[in-house]
Amino acid sequence: MARITLRQLLDHAGEFGYGVPAFNINNMEQALAIMEAARDVDAPVILQASRGARSYAGDIMLGRIIDALEEMFPAIPLCMHQDHGNNVATCLSAIQHGYTSVMMDGSLKEDAKTPSDYDYNVAITSDVARLAHFVGASVEGEIGVLGSLETGEGDAEDGHGFEGRLERHMLVTDPEEAARFVAATKVDALAVAIGTSHGAYKFTREPSGEILAMDIIEKLHELLPNTHLVMHGSSSVPKEWQDVFNANGGQMRATWGVPVEEIVRGIRHGVRKVNIDTDLRLAATAAFRKVGATDPAEFDPRKFLKPAIEAMRKVCRERFEAFGTAGNASRIKVIPMSEMAKRYASGALDPRTATQIAA
Ligand code: G3H
Ligand code: 13P
Ligand code: ZN
């Protein structure tokens, strides 16, 4: 049994000072690439499905993929997480389908476009945390709205996020407000806004502190040393893969993602979960394009998908190594959700206290 909760995994990461990439999946090929990379380097895994992924593949198919991964990779602790849940129903139905963790993103209203207010966010996130904790599942909340500090715009590119412009104070998490939010909601992990956004077009230049506010992470960690911080929009959009994409007929304009060194700096200051979707999309699609351009007569999809799996596997391995996740799978003894539920009920998992679950 290798299905682990986010809380147990991030407590382990906190204790040993590493970060865990959370990779989005929509299909078997992404899932296999991530798990094979994890097995290559002995890393625990967080897989996450967006609402879009759940409607693309279907809950039954995604659920069976996770069951299969558990059987195929029994030595890899595997956390299955709902990415950007927009309401209580999304979060609870994910748990019903075998997810061990959910994100209640109350920074936006249910339409996943309109920025909410603090009271709305606290009310809905604490509802989800109370219910999820009854069954031992973990909860990630978000305070601050994801969006670009360069343009003030949200990330409509992925169909999630506000449209239009917001002022800097809404796009950067306020550490004092974050501390109140964690105490009020009892979330297990906290997503923060520091100028990252979803998709490939995050920055038009290599990001400086003005547009990627890593100093906020340091302040948050000082104020909330036992809270697991989550960085969204953390693809690095590697130049290497942009070049393969563009050399084979793609048209990606010049862009920068979040440099891996900045994420590593975040991990030194309490970042434990690092959300990555775009990098695997880009690596896979660059690999498809290369096959199509090299052999335009090819029509067997497996000839496209195998190099795509290899490309994604390489990216995953690099992140597991850079974030210090590698080498930790075999050091974790998974605690079942039912036992986690007892620990929540007894108050042993209060997010404000230093909680280290014995491995
Ligand atoms: O939330 C952002 C993730 O990259 C998921 O994107 O909604 O297109 O699956 P998606
Ligand atoms: P990227 O688009 O940078 O990969 O971010 C993914 C993400 O934050 C999913 O929640
Ligand atoms: Zn996100």
Side-chain angles (χ1 to χ4, degrees), residues 22 24 48 83-84 103 146 158 197-200 202 231-237 258 275-279:
N24 286 72
Q48 55 189 6
D83 193 21
H84 292 286
M103 175 187 195
L146 293 178
D158 273 346
S197 53
H198 295 136
K202 301 181 194 303
M231 279 174 67
H232 279 249
S234 288
S235 277
S236 302
V237 200
V258 183
N275 283 17
I276 297 174
D277 187 354
T278 298
D279 281 353

Side-chain angles (χ1 to χ4, degrees), residues 41-59:
V41 300
D42 185 38
V45 167
I46 302 170
L47 298 182
Q48 55 189 6
S50 64
R51 287 190 297 136
R54 285 177 65 183
S55 66
Y56 171 77
D59 279 330

Side-chain angles (χ1 to χ4, degrees), residues 5 67 79 95 101 112 150 152 176 206 250 263 269 271 279 284 326-327:
T5 61
D67 291 344
C79 168
I95 296 170
S101 177
E150 231 182 327
E176 304 283 343
E206 191 170 359
I263 299 171
H269 297 279
V271 170
D279 281 353

Side-chain angles (χ1 to χ4, degrees), residues 337-358:
M337 259 171 65
S338 53
E339 173 57 27
M340 294 297 285
K342 287 185 200 152
R343 295 184 189 196
Y344 284 114
S346 72
L349 292 175
D350 188 321
R352 287 164 294 167
T353 60
T355 306
Q356 298 304 344
I357 302 170

Side-chain angles (χ1 to χ4, degrees), residues 73-261:
F73 301 89
I76 304 295
L78 167 59
C79 168
M80 185 63 204
H81 176 81
Q82 167 74 53
D83 193 21
H84 292 286
N86 63 325
N87 59 24
V88 179
T90 299
C91 294
L92 292 193
S93 62
I95 296 170
Q96 192 176 27
H97 285 284
Y99 293 43
T100 55
S101 177
V102 295
M103 175 187 195
M104 178 59 236
D105 181 357
S107 71
L108 300 173
K109 292 216 176 137
E110 193 166 1
D111 64 4
K113 290 191 189 318
T114 313
S116 69
D117 59 40
Y118 178 81
D119 291 340
Y120 171 91
N121 197 354
V122 167
I124 195 158
T125 307
S126 47
D127 268 359
V128 170
R130 192 172 52 82
L131 297 170
H133 290 168
F134 280 140
V135 292
S138 318
V139 177
E140 172 186 336
E142 174 168 328
I143 189 94
V145 180
L146 293 178
S148 164
L149 294 177
E150 231 182 327
T151 61
E153 282 172 11
D155 39 20
E157 187 187 339
D158 273 346
H160 173 104
F162 73 94
E163 282 163 6
R165 300 170 73 84
L166 285 180
E167 289 185 22
R168 191 179 173 97
H169 73 91
M170 289 194 71
L171 295 171
V172 177
T173 299
D174 171 6
E176 304 283 343
E177 189 175 63
R180 282 189 279 124
F181 181 79
V182 170
T185 58
K186 299 202 184 316
V187 288
D188 301 287
L190 182 69
V192 295
I194 54 167
T196 64
S197 53
H198 295 136
Y201 301 104
K202 301 181 194 303
F203 306 108
T204 61
R205 55 185 158 95
E206 191 170 359
S208 59
E210 207 185 302
I211 54 175
L212 176 60
M214 295 306 295
D215 58 317
I216 294 293
I217 295 278
E218 295 176 15
K219 286 187 191 128
L220 281 159
H221 187 50
E222 263 172 42
L223 211 57
L224 289 166
N226 301 312
T227 295
H228 304 309
L229 303 177
V230 181
M231 279 174 67
H232 279 249
S234 288
S235 277
S236 302
V237 200
K239 177 84 169 58
E240 173 195 356
W241 289 110
Q242 290 183 40
D243 289 348
V244 177
F245 185 85
N246 285 336
N248 292 284
Q251 292 187 3
M252 179 170 278
R253 61 180 194 268
T255 183
W256 274 262
V258 183
V260 170
E261 316 80 77

